[in-house]
Amino acid sequence: MATSPVVVPASAKHVAHLTDRLRLADVQEVWNAYHFSPYQALAGAVHGSVVSWALELGREPVAVWGVAPLGTWLSRRGSPWLLASDRLVEASVFGAKVTRHYVLEMLRYFDRLENYVSNENRLSIRWLRWGGFSIGAPEPWGIEGKMFRRFWKEA
């Protein structure tokens, strides 16, 4: 019997569970961008966000995502993010409709959403497209100077 996915507010429990279960693409992305460990990336993203959620399959966290302030609050810019385990692909409900809903929630806090995604992170790029983000051409970015794509969306 298939387990129904459920979205809940992200918590330290989700961070602890996903720390050793992140997709390789996410582990490489946060290392190449910031030299963060999976724990540093997860805990920092959840703690630094104005809102964040977790997707659970059978009470097991498979993804967390949210939006953190970018610059000052006066800039009205937010930095959306998503980190997940390999089990995210089992949650087919986490597609275009659900993604657009949460992107609209992020835009309640910020006028512009922007960040960078690794050019190799195909699942995250697909998620961004579902969310209606504009995605730039690959360019060197981050501590390692690997190829990333800037992405953005305005309210």
Side-chain angles (χ1 to χ4, degrees), residues 23-46:
R23 296 177 315 119
L24 180 58
D26 287 347
V27 171
Q28 291 173 334
E29 182 176 273
V30 299
W31 181 258
N32 290 336
Y34 308 107
H35 280 182
F36 284 172
S37 70
Y39 176 79
Q40 289 171 313
L42 286 159
V46 170

Side-chain angles (χ1 to χ4, degrees), residues 30-97:
V30 299
W31 181 258
N32 290 336
Y34 308 107
H35 280 182
F36 284 172
S37 70
Y39 176 79
Q40 289 171 313
L42 286 159
V46 170
H47 179 72
S49 291
V50 295
V51 63
S52 58
W53 302 274
L55 180 69
E56 296 179 348
L57 287 177
R59 303 175 86 181
E60 178 185 345
V62 299
V64 292
W65 71 98
V67 63
L70 188 59
T72 69
W73 274 102
L74 295 176
S75 73
R76 302 281 301 150
R77 295 181 307 139
S79 178
W81 55 271
L82 166 75
L83 297 166
S85 75
D86 288 323
R87 287 199 64 205
L88 180 60
V89 297
E90 297 173 40
S92 59
V93 70
F94 196 73
K97 186 176 180 181

Side-chain angles (χ1 to χ4, degrees), residues 2-154:
T3 303
S4 295
V6 61
V7 175
V8 298
S11 70
K13 167 186 89 165
H14 301 112
V15 169
H17 182 84
L18 286 168
T19 292
D20 294 327
R21 293 173 176 85
L22 282 187
R23 296 177 315 119
L24 180 58
D26 287 347
V27 171
Q28 291 173 334
E29 182 176 273
V30 299
W31 181 258
N32 290 336
Y34 308 107
H35 280 182
F36 284 172
S37 70
Y39 176 79
Q40 289 171 313
L42 286 159
V46 170
H47 179 72
S49 291
V50 295
V51 63
S52 58
W53 302 274
L55 180 69
E56 296 179 348
L57 287 177
R59 303 175 86 181
E60 178 185 345
V62 299
V64 292
W65 71 98
V67 63
L70 188 59
T72 69
W73 274 102
L74 295 176
S75 73
R76 302 281 301 150
R77 295 181 307 139
S79 178
W81 55 271
L82 166 75
L83 297 166
S85 75
D86 288 323
R87 287 199 64 205
L88 180 60
V89 297
E90 297 173 40
S92 59
V93 70
F94 196 73
K97 186 176 180 181
V98 171
T99 296
R100 281 192 292 268
H101 168 79
Y102 287 98
V103 169
L104 289 174
E105 285 294 309
M106 292 178 200
L107 287 168
R108 290 179 56 219
Y109 296 91
F110 301 102
D111 295 333
R112 179 178 172 89
L113 303 174
E114 59 186 271
N115 203 343
Y116 283 83
V117 61
S118 170
N119 191 51
E120 304 300 317
N121 199 334
R122 300 291 179 225
L123 183 65
S124 291
I125 291 171
R126 182 172 50 183
W127 179 71
L128 292 165
R129 287 194 174 116
W130 283 338
F133 286 89
S134 297
I135 301 173
E139 61 183 279
W141 186 81
I143 290 176
E144 292 290 320
K146 301 287 184 178
M147 299 305 279
F148 278 74
R149 292 173 177 255
R150 187 172 72 87
F151 64 87
W152 64 95
K153 183 174 180 69
E154 294 187 8

